[in-house]
Amino acid sequence: LRGVTMQELLSDEDAALEALEALPNCDELRAAAAAEAERVERLDSLVQGLKTCTASADAADATPLAQLLSLAADLGVSDQPPARPPPRPKKPKGPRAKPR
């Protein structure tokens, strides 16, 4: 089963039922792909909105910026770098060597 691709397995008329049942669920894959495509579209709209957004003191321009910030928060996008993992514990040192 390792050397056989999904296309080969689906096109084989004599494929074993166990091998076919081991394939991933197509409906779940399609749903996941559709969700990722929607996320990519929303990210692209965020990028385009940020490109066209200008920094000004006008209150009229604040609404689109607030919408972009809300969209960024919904998508989990931030300008903060990812949190650093905690440092590893130091190795305990062994006994000191005695002078010769």
Side-chain angles (χ1 to χ4, degrees):
L1 183 64
R2 290 271 184 222
V4 180
T5 64
M6 184 173 18
Q7 283 300 104
E8 292 172 348
L9 192 58
L10 291 175
S11 64
D12 185 12
E13 293 180 10
D14 298 327
L17 182 61
E18 293 83 21
L20 291 172
E21 287 177 345
L23 291 174
N25 188 343
C26 291
D27 292 334
E28 291 175 5
L29 292 175
R30 280 190 195 101
E36 287 299 315
E38 181 183 342
R39 178 173 165 74
V40 168
E41 287 178 16
R42 293 177 70 197
L43 285 169
D44 188 46
S45 68
L46 176 64
V47 168
Q48 295 303 321
L50 289 173
K51 283 182 180 179
T52 60
C53 186
T54 59
S56 70
D58 294 340
D61 290 342
T63 303
L65 181 60
Q67 291 172 347
L68 290 174
L69 291 174
S70 173
L71 179 60
D74 290 344
L75 292 170
V77 176
S78 173
D79 62 346
Q80 298 292 325
R84 295 181 73 179
R88 295 183 187 175
K90 295 188 178 198
K91 287 185 174 180
K93 293 186 178 182
R96 293 185 180 222
K98 294 183 180 181
R100 293 184 187 186

